[in-house]
Amino acid sequence: MSQTVNVKLNVNGAAAEIELEPRETLLDVVRERLGLTGAHAGCEQGSCGACTVLVDGELTRSCLIFAVQCEDKAITTIEHFGSPGALHPMMEAFRRHHGLQCGFCTPAMVLTAIAFLEESPHPTESEVRSALAGNLCRCTGYAGIVDAVLDVAGVAE
Amino acid sequence: MKPAPFDYVRCANVPEAIAALSGDEGAKVIAGGQSLVPLMAMRLARPTLLVDVNDVGLDGITVERDVIRIGACTRHRRLERDPVIARVAPLLQEAAGLIGYPAIRTRGTIGGSLVHADPVAELPTVLVAAGGFVVVRSGAGTRVIAAVDLFTGFLDTTLEHDEIVEDVLLPVAGTRHGSSFCEWSPREGDFATAGVALAIERDDDGRCVALGAAACGLASVPLDCSTLLAAVLGETSASGALLRQIARVMRADLAGDPDRADLVGLLAARAVHRAFARSDERSAAAA
Ligand SMILES: Cc1cc2nc3c(=O)[nH]c(=O)nc-3n(C[C@H](O)[C@H](O)[C@H](O)COP(=O)(O)OP(=O)(O)OC[C@H]3O[C@@H](n4cnc5c(N)ncnc54)[C@H](O)[C@@H]3O)c2cc1C
Ligand code: FES
Ligand code: FES
């Protein structure tokens, strides 16, 4: 085992100090140390997108960054955006358009869509598809997801 | 948690990072981590020490007369969006936007992509096509390595263990410059099966007077195709005859898988067509 280190993290606006091994990824830490299980562990090698969070406002694969690298950075996970009973409009739209089935890809899909619309408020359908190309969904066939994002953007389908 | 145990040091400057690397044979630089961390997750890489260079100040972009100097830790996302890059290195801008997905481009860096040296990666191909250089530093001082001398094989370069890439140097695009990166991949964002990077310069009469081209997906390193595309020199437009000739020459001269050679021939013809069109637009905008 390598040395452990103390790392100060800022997750969804709350400070946390955690003793951890450098090899613990940000994904490991938000899920297993902080109990924020919205970021999902799929491939853990960058391919599926299920672990996507925001680091200093930028879409980031939490499986490809170590928690020790995140000191002094603002981490935002899907839990920041809504909760049962207080859904974010994007979450509502996913529900309305059947943008999810098993839900494994959903938190990262919703978070990626929210971040995307902040940068591109009036996207075309093909821009929506590009923005979500790095998030794999094995259930929906994507049509409902794309409809949900276009709906929130106020773009006619 | 998949990687093997390691120690970690976040460095504040390049000398600190070089010292950390020199002190441990198993140490490795981490920049964006978008290639290294997957390898660590599969335990194909088992560094004993990670030397984090994200805060050493290698993220500047400066134009020095006819050369643009790009800090090694400049992220793909910035290359894609920076207006200076768009103006003086449009081939690099286009190529950066073709890398993976948005969440990969927000972290991945130009230095990391060049040192990782994936045979189908876009940025090494651009470096060869543009005839660029990397500036590397070690305890012994700095040296400048030309693109063709950097890549030696699959995920392999001529960099020494204790050397850090500081800057990437590329020629500044002229007023009648035109470029294109054409690639084919089965799904958007996936690594390309093959790709062609091309840059041309033209004189006041519209004649092509300089050309640089490279292809990825044919060998374990990007191949310099400038000589194969020599027919473009002296031409004033991308005529159908020229494009057919290029596709034919590429197909005939590229050994290996005939389907790949066909594909690269078509991509090269498309790249020539787009480079002339963009050069026309750029000339019109400058006039
Ligand atoms: C899902 C996915 C899809 C991708 N798709 C593509 C794609 O389509 N095209 C493509 O080209 N790439 C793709 N990539 C890889 C991506 O471009 C990486 O960002 C890039 O290859 C490595 O850059 P990095 O900064 O992340 O480097 P790291 O992973 O941090 O490092 C890579 C290597 O470079 C070394 N290194 C890094 N910086 C320096 C330096 N300054 N000096 C010396 N050594 C250094 C490291 O020690 C390591 O060996 C993809 C990655 C993922 C996860
Ligand atoms: S778990 Fe991070 S990309 Fe799949
Ligand atoms: S809803 Fe099942 S993977 Fe997307």
Side-chain angles (χ1 to χ4, degrees):
Chain A
M1 207 175 107
S2 60
Q3 70 194 14
T4 58
V5 285
N6 274 312
V7 176
K8 290 197 193 72
L9 293 177
N10 175 333
V11 181
N12 299 333
E17 186 164 345
I18 302 168
E19 186 185 344
L20 47 71
E21 280 188 76
R23 64 172 166 158
E24 290 177 60
T25 63
L26 179 60
L27 174 64
D28 296 327
V29 169
V30 294
R31 285 183 63 82
E32 282 160 36
R33 303 297 198 100
L34 301 175
L36 298 169
T37 54
H40 287 168
C43 64
E44 294 181 78
Q45 55 187 50
S47 313
C48 73
C51 66
T52 309
V53 301
L54 300 177
V55 176
D56 283 344
E58 300 266 31
L59 287 168
T60 302
R61 303 286 211 226
S62 63
C63 70
L64 296 187
I65 188 167
F66 295 106
V68 279
Q69 298 184 277
C70 297
E71 195 134 42
D72 311 326
K73 294 191 180 0
I75 318 293
T76 313
T77 67
I78 189 68
E79 285 83 356
H80 167 78
F81 291 99
S83 56
L87 296 186
H88 184 282
M90 187 67 77
M91 299 170 178
E92 271 296 343
F94 267 61
R95 192 187 56 70
R96 229 172 20 253
H97 291 275
H98 305 286
L100 67 153
Q101 287 178 30
C102 79
F104 193 83
C105 69
T106 312
M109 202 65 95
V110 167
L111 182 130
T112 303
I114 291 171
F116 167 63
L117 285 192
E118 262 178 33
E119 282 190 7
S120 311
H122 307 292
T124 62
E125 179 183 331
S126 99
E127 286 165 348
V128 172
R129 288 184 178 273
S130 282
L132 299 176
N135 293 66
L136 301 187
C137 176
R138 294 168 300 174
C139 302
T140 64
Y142 301 98
I145 294 174
V146 173
D147 289 348
V149 180
L150 289 171
D151 187 358
V152 173
V155 178
E157 288 146 37
Chain B
M1 178 166 71
K2 291 177 162 180
F6 58 83
D7 291 326
Y8 170 84
V9 54
R10 192 197 290 205
C11 298
N13 52 53
V14 174
E16 231 178 86
I18 291 169
L21 277 180
S22 316
D24 184 344
E25 267 180 33
K28 245 186 172 322
V29 169
I30 183 163
Q34 302 300 293
S35 294
L36 180 57
V37 181
L39 288 178
M40 290 171 67
M42 294 181 256
R43 300 213 175 182
L44 295 170
R46 301 178 67 133
T48 48
L49 170 69
L50 279 192
V51 178
D52 192 328
V53 295
N54 282 288
D55 298 318
V56 301
L58 290 178
D59 47 11
I61 294 178
T62 48
V63 179
E64 300 158 4
R65 281 194 298 278
D66 48 1
V67 171
I68 175 163
R69 178 181 291 268
I70 301 161
C73 292
T74 306
R75 302 196 193 277
H76 306 325
R77 200 67 170 154
R78 169 132 185 244
L79 298 176
E80 201 185 342
R81 298 176 164 199
D82 190 290
V84 174
I85 300 284
R87 184 164 44 81
V88 309
L91 179 61
L92 181 65
Q93 183 213 16
E94 183 182 15
L98 295 171
I99 298 172
Y101 317 103
I104 304 300
R105 300 198 288 272
T106 54
R107 293 279 319 152
T109 67
I110 184 169
S113 177
L114 297 177
V115 176
H116 184 63
D118 191 294
V120 288
E122 285 83 1
L123 303 189
T125 313
V126 168
L127 195 75
V128 171
F133 299 85
V134 292
V135 181
V136 307
R137 181 186 290 272
S138 70
T142 53
R143 65 182 180 124
V144 177
I145 309 174
V148 285
D149 300 326
L150 179 64
F151 305 109
T152 47
F154 180 75
L155 308 189
D156 203 13
T157 69
T158 48
L159 227 64
E160 301 290 342
H161 169 72
D162 62 343
E163 281 183 319
I164 288 184
V165 176
E166 289 192 307
D167 292 307
V168 179
L169 309 179
L170 292 174
V172 163
T175 44
R176 290 169 177 273
H177 174 94
S179 68
S180 178
F181 198 109
C182 289
E183 66 175 33
W184 188 82
S185 58
R187 287 189 324 143
E188 173 167 355
D190 276 8
F191 275 102
T193 303
V196 172
L198 170 77
I200 61 170
E201 299 292 342
R202 293 159 85 187
D203 66 14
D204 289 344
D205 302 322
R207 252 191 301 271
C208 175
V209 289
L211 167 151
C216 63
L218 290 166
S220 63
V221 295
L223 289 185
D224 185 335
C225 302
S226 308
T227 319
L228 281 178
L229 291 179
V232 177
L233 288 168
E235 293 294 324
T236 53
S237 70
S239 66
L242 176 66
L243 298 182
R244 276 191 296 276
Q245 183 187 351
I246 285 161
R248 206 165 46 234
V249 168
M250 297 289 277
R251 213 166 10 201
D253 279 48
L254 294 169
D257 179 353
D259 286 346
R260 269 310 154 94
D262 255 359
L263 175 60
V264 171
L266 288 172
L267 292 171
R270 185 177 295 170
V272 168
H273 184 259
R274 289 201 185 151
F276 269 96
R278 288 178 185 163
S279 161
D280 288 343
E281 280 169 28
R282 192 176 171 98
S283 309

